Amino acid sequence: MGMMSRIVGCCLACSVMASGEIVQKLWKYDYSGMPVETLRDNAPLRDGFAMSFRVGNGLAPGQLVEVPKSFRLECVERGGQTYYERDGKNPALRATIWLTYQPRPKWKSLSIELPLNALGDDWSKREIGVLYDQVNFLFTVDGVIIDRNYPVGTLDAQDGSTVVKTDLLQDFRFSPSVAKVSRTKVEHRSTDGIQFYTPYGHNTWCGDVVVYYKDGLFHLLYLFDRNHHGSRWGCGAHIFHHMTTRDLVNWVDHGPILELTEQWQSVGTGTMVSSGGKLLSVFGWHTTRTVDYAQTVSSQAEKYLGKNPVAVSRKDFAPLVPSGTTYAESEDGLNFTWSEKFLNVTENPSIFEMSDGSLKLFGSSRTWSAPGIDGPWTLVDSSFPVAGKECALRSTFECPSYFEFNGYRYLLMGFTGMWAGKGEDGPYVDKAAEGLDIYDGLGVPFVAPYHDGRRILAGWPNRGWASVLLLREVISYPDGNLGLKWVPELAPKRDVKFGSGSVSGRGRATIGVGKTTSVYGEVTVTPSKPSGRLAIRFRDQSNPSLDVEFQIDLSRKRAQINGITGDDFAAGLPTAREIAASSDKGAGAGIGANLHCLSRNFCLENVRGLEGEFVIRFVLRRSKKLGAAILDVEIAGCRTMVSIRPGAKFDKIELAGEEGISLTGDFFKYPEEGHFDCGGK
């Protein structure tokens, strides 16, 4: 890897880590044990195959291996991923298979890519592998996966003569014996930190997040994603990865809770609970993305579950395909086994532990209760949670996050919904309808306890589906309302100061910054009266259409992030509540433009902490991997906002205010995004 990271042999014991270190457990494939055969006409590819080879620098675009109508390996001038682009050039190896899957006749070709610039200065020193085993189709470099997709169907038969250009493929080896390709765990170590975290690779992201705390160990699950939900013809084919920490600073990414082993499998959001002395990862199978509903167990749920459902084993509903709510269980909290049980039709189940030891499941306008994970599950509320037009922000039923905090119960619903109830049985109040929710630009946020009575929230900002990971700390107020602040343990350091500026009244202060430099800023705001506007602007002088402004309106207690033209303050945006009230279209993120869950331009209301002097902290994080700048803001230690600005290369920061407002800012270098050299070299 680059200076920020490295790969070493796997140590099963958790070692003592340096400050801010993240250890990722990765599979490394070894092709040396596979029996080598000639890739001839009509070679047996359908059940699986593997090949390894090397290529030289300057490989020209064109065909390398062709098994007509079945498999192709080629070099293309410009790959789909630009992370490794150099001097406008982005050559890539592209491997393609052709399949037939009768239920989805349009699903034919499936491709993976390897950006050749990722191989470093001497391409010929890197072993490249291609493996297909009916469930996985992947590229490796020196054994480590660089791209993967998940096929469905049967590999098409060859129709024509096989071509292998061994003059361009050095040390070419082929085998239909995939079982002989072994793999071992290795560790990838990084000091990039958990904020803005993404898993190892160039097209890998964190999707929906689950957090859980027990016995001093904080667990974080995220749906591992490639290409923003692009795998398996846009169906995602996601799996949960499992991370743990004891201090929120040093983490281990243990890899998948479960790996996909059958073509229909794709994991949906869930939760983590303890039940029966075991740690459980509860999730849903998104089976209907791949399999017709009539072939799934969900289609006959009433037959198998009845009115008071008890978990049903797969062997009892075969040959129906598993779907809906299920779980994996672990004795040691790290190694999980799928239960192969069916609990509920909900594909994004949220099961939580109650104070009396029982479990509750929220989903699809119903609440269920059970003494343990296998039931019996009793319907205790047939009208909550609500979604769609039954609530102000028309939230979806996806991904509920239930938590308790200082005598109140809370439920976050997907991208827009939030309810709060006092005590054990007080009625739920729609806080989003009052403009008192805690959404800040993070998608499907999830909250869990942490030690000393704290609550930690995690989520991802929207750049297509899935992106980087961010953590917050939840603040509780006596009236039951909540706020968000940055996690103190993860606060940026003030090590390398590169500038400062101040402005009073209607002036402006300008600070130059490198186009690729990430920035941490602290701006102290001193208003002489509780009114007026102030702004921190980020300018891209090469493309002013990308300029953006963070603005606070003191009198209206609003904060917004919006595009800006010229030197005037950006126009005020409506809040999510106001947008929903003026439109009857869509649900959740589909309500309209300028919603917080779209992570671009949006406005928050009822912002606390704006009386008297207060501090705004921000991080401007440059992400070549995301192709964007990320603006993360904390307001007076009471509220947060995050916005992704695609393509922006800000090189100037401005402070501006109206009469009676003074701003003083100090600016520091923030750690840069780590660079992934594939294969860990």
Side-chain angles (χ1 to χ4, degrees), residues 475 477 484-485 552 607-611 613-617 633-639:
I475 306 166
Y477 296 106
L484 293 177
K485 66 178 182 179
I552 289 179
V607 178
R608 296 188 185 233
L610 304 183
E611 302 80 11
E613 186 173 278
F614 62 91
V615 175
I616 300 167
R617 299 194 293 172
V633 184
E634 182 198 63
I635 308 163
C638 300
R639 204 70 170 89

Side-chain angles (χ1 to χ4, degrees), residues 194 197 205-212 218-224 240-241 243 251 268-272 349-350 352 399-401 442-448 456-461 465-471:
I194 193 64
Y197 174 78
W205 309 105
C206 296
D208 295 352
V209 180
V210 171
V211 285
Y212 180 75
F218 191 82
H219 301 259
L220 186 151
L221 311 183
Y222 65 89
L223 287 181
F224 181 95
F240 263 133
H241 274 219
M243 303 184 74
W251 295 74
T269 308
T271 54
M272 182 169 268
S350 290
F352 298 90
C399 319
S401 172
L442 294 180
V444 286
F446 206 101
V447 178
I456 301 297
L457 177 149
W460 50 272
W465 197 89
S467 65
V468 301
L469 181 67
L470 283 170
L471 271 61

